[in-house]
């Protein structure tokens, strides 16, 4: 028992150490880069972030095609993996394996759906009596959505994050606030999105209400990941795909870490060309740190043909991204995009190629949430259709 506890403590310390290193790199590298280039760091630390000091390049067909091909290849890979999952989903139950308990849709799920719908209505209207709360509808919309998707998961498999891991689930909210503030910080160096409807807010008011909204990011994505896992094609089916050979040497991990770190240090100097690293560098750095610590990385199961840890988080983030963008479009306090080279052909406020940032973001969300609620793909795949 003592040896097992020592192993757990050592693993927890390793995860904590990696988190500290990652956070330090995310905060320090972009700032070091712009200081080394002779830029004034003060605009990058402005609160609220209202000054738009990055002048982006205009639309470019060659770059649009480049990013379009990258998004197409990523989407094709996801579709091929999903097709594999559909083809190999289990339609029978092995002898002796208990059927997961299913029940009725919980009452609190109906309450969540009602809250989401009412908050959605209020967000898109401009009722005079609601003017004081009009900028703050993001939180109730997503609180209702999170309740609803967990209730749906509860009905489908008999448990969900809320009922199975209540403390870990609650811990996702403050963790989510800190998590998304890192991306708000990184965005200051590329300024791919900015907020309207926050005029007149001071630093304290903006920080408080923004933190409340940011608290729903990880619970939303992690809840969606678990719900998707209740479908056999995205659970058992994805464990039967063709294995992919993944580089596992520490030299490869070191090279990836260095390249990602250098790219992160340069995003403020070359924001038009390196803006995609806001989503890629944190993921690559985190995976590299996992590999260098000797722990299996999140993508290691691909070597055994298990694609769940890659496909499901990516798909969950895309689905959440659709709702994020949809509910944002007519809200009073909302974000607007300014992305170089591809600022055309929008789906809601987002240029359509911008949705390519959501799949890697889903993997980052999963890695950020695992210390609190565990890895949902560590358990054997369910086989009940």
């Amino acid at each position: 028992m003592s040896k097992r506890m020592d192993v757990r403590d050592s693993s927890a310390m390793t995860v904590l150490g990696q988190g500290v290193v990652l956070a330090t790199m995310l905060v320090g590298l972009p700032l070091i880069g712009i200081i080394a280039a002779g830029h004034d760091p003060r605009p990058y630390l402005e609160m609220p972030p209202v000054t738009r000091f990055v002048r982006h390049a205009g639309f470019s067909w060659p770059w649009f095609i480049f990013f379009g091909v990258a998004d197409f290849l990523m989407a094709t890979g996801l579709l091929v993996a999903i097709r594999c999952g559909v083809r190999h989903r289990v339609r029978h139950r092995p002898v002796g394996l208990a059927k997961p308990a299913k029940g009725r849709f919980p009452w609190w799920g109906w309450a969540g759906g009602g809250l989401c719908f009412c908050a959605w209505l209020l967000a898109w209207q401009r009722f005079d009596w609601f003017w004081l709360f009009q900028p703050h509808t993001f939180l109730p919309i997503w609180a209702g959505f999170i309740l609803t998707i967990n209730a749906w998961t509860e009905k489908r498999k008999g448990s969900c994050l809320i009922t199975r891991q209540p403390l870990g689930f609650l811990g996702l909210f403050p963790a989510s606030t800190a998590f998304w503030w890192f991306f708000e910080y990184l965005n200051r160096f590329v300024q791919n999105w900015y907020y309207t409807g926050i005029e007149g807010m001071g630093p304290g008011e903006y920080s408080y209400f923004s933190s409340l909204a940011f608290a729903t990011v990880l619970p939303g994505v992690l809840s969606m990941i678990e719900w998707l896992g209740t479908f056999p094609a995205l659970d058992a089916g994805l464990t039967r795909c063709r294995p992919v050979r993944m580089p596992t040497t520490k030299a490869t991990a070191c090279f990836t870490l260095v390249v990602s770190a250098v790219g992160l240090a340069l995003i403020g100097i070359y924001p038009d060309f390196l803006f995609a690293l806001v989503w890629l560098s944190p993921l690559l750095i985190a995976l590299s740190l996992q590999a260098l610590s000797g722990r299996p990385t999140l993508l290691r199961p691909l070597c055994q043909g298990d694609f769940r840890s890659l496909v499901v988080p990516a798909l969950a983030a895309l689905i959440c991204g659709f709702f994020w963008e949809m509910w944002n479009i007519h809200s009073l306090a909302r974000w607007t995009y300014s992305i170089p080279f591809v600022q055309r052909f929008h789906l809601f406020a987002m240029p359509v190629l911008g949705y390519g940032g959501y799949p890697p973001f889903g993997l980052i969300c999963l890695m950020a949430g695992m210390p609190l609620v565990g890895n949902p793909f560590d358990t054997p795949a369910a086989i009940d259709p």
Side-chain angles (χ1 to χ4, degrees):
M1 177 66 72
S2 177
K3 182 180 293 186
R4 185 181 302 174
M5 291 181 64
D6 289 342
V7 171
R8 290 179 179 175
D9 291 344
S10 176
S11 178
M13 289 300 295
T14 300
V15 172
L16 178 61
Q18 291 175 3
V20 171
V21 172
L22 176 60
T24 303
M25 294 178 71
L26 293 182
V27 172
L29 288 173
L31 204 58
I32 291 172
I34 61 109
I35 292 175
H39 299 314
D40 183 359
R42 286 175 296 181
Y44 299 89
L45 306 175
E46 181 185 53
M47 186 66 68
V50 293
T51 304
R52 298 182 61 192
F53 48 82
V54 177
R55 299 184 63 182
H56 290 301
F59 181 82
S60 166
W61 275 114
W63 280 104
F64 183 87
I65 293 171
F66 172 81
F67 286 112
V69 169
D71 280 6
F72 175 78
L73 292 175
M74 181 166 51
T76 300
L78 284 176
L79 290 175
V80 169
I82 292 170
R83 183 174 179 271
C84 170
V86 171
R87 190 168 64 249
H88 292 99
R89 67 187 185 277
V90 177
R91 294 185 177 275
H92 64 278
R93 182 185 314 283
V95 176
L97 188 63
K99 181 178 180 178
K102 296 184 180 182
R104 304 175 67 177
F105 194 79
W107 66 267
W108 45 268
W110 294 110
L115 173 63
C116 182
F117 178 78
C118 291
W120 181 3
L121 176 66
L122 292 170
W124 282 16
Q125 301 298 319
R126 299 294 184 265
F127 297 116
D128 291 339
W129 55 268
F130 194 67
W131 70 270
L132 184 63
F133 305 100
Q134 192 70 58
H136 311 302
T137 54
F138 186 94
L139 175 62
I141 287 177
W142 276 91
F145 179 85
I146 291 165
L147 282 172
T148 304
I149 203 69
N150 273 274
W152 204 346
T153 303
E154 179 84 9
K155 173 177 171 54
R156 287 187 59 83
K157 78 172 194 177
S159 68
C160 65
L161 287 176
I162 292 177
T163 58
R164 190 179 62 255
Q165 296 174 275
L167 292 180
F169 175 77
L170 289 176
L172 287 175
F173 288 88
S176 179
T177 295
F179 171 77
W180 186 253
W181 271 116
F182 280 108
F183 286 95
E184 288 292 318
Y185 171 76
L186 293 178
N187 180 59
R188 297 301 293 158
F189 297 89
V190 296
Q191 293 203 303
N192 286 158
W193 68 87
Y194 60 94
Y195 295 96
T196 60
I198 62 170
E199 296 80 6
M201 287 189 181
E205 183 183 10
Y206 174 79
S207 300
Y208 173 73
F209 285 112
S210 295
S211 294
L212 291 179
F214 299 163
T216 61
V217 174
L218 287 183
V221 176
L222 270 293
S223 297
M224 180 61 68
I225 288 173
E226 187 175 33
W227 176 71
L228 290 175
T230 65
F231 295 90
L234 298 176
D235 189 48
L238 286 177
T239 65
R240 294 166 172 80
C241 297
R242 180 177 297 179
V244 173
R245 190 176 184 86
M246 300 290 294
T248 58
T249 65
K250 291 196 174 183
T252 302
C254 283
F255 177 78
T256 304
L257 180 63
V258 170
V259 171
S260 302
V262 171
L264 202 58
L266 296 176
I267 60 171
I269 304 172
Y270 305 106
D272 281 350
F273 300 100
L274 301 179
F275 65 91
L277 295 183
V278 168
W279 309 108
L280 294 176
S281 282
L283 174 62
L284 294 176
I285 291 173
L287 290 172
S288 300
L289 292 175
Q290 277 188 335
L292 290 173
S293 70
R295 299 170 59 233
T297 69
L298 185 67
L299 301 182
R300 179 67 64 83
L302 270 63
C303 298
Q304 286 78 46
D306 185 349
F307 277 55
R308 291 178 298 169
S309 61
L310 174 65
V311 174
V312 178
L315 188 58
L318 274 172
I319 295 173
C320 287
F322 173 85
F323 286 105
W324 272 319
E325 305 301 339
M326 181 185 71
W327 283 322
N328 168 69
I329 190 64
H330 294 304
S331 296
L332 178 63
R334 58 190 292 267
W335 58 86
T336 302
Y337 291 100
S338 178
I339 304 179
F341 306 128
V342 299
Q343 192 72 14
R344 195 175 291 184
F345 310 116
H346 293 66
L347 177 58
F348 308 121
M350 169 77 87
V352 66
L353 293 187
Y355 285 86
Y358 278 115
F361 179 65
L363 273 69
I364 304 171
C365 288
L366 176 59
M367 296 180 75
M370 284 194 304
L372 290 167
V373 296
N375 186 345
F377 309 114
D378 280 344
T379 57
I383 52 83
D384 186 49

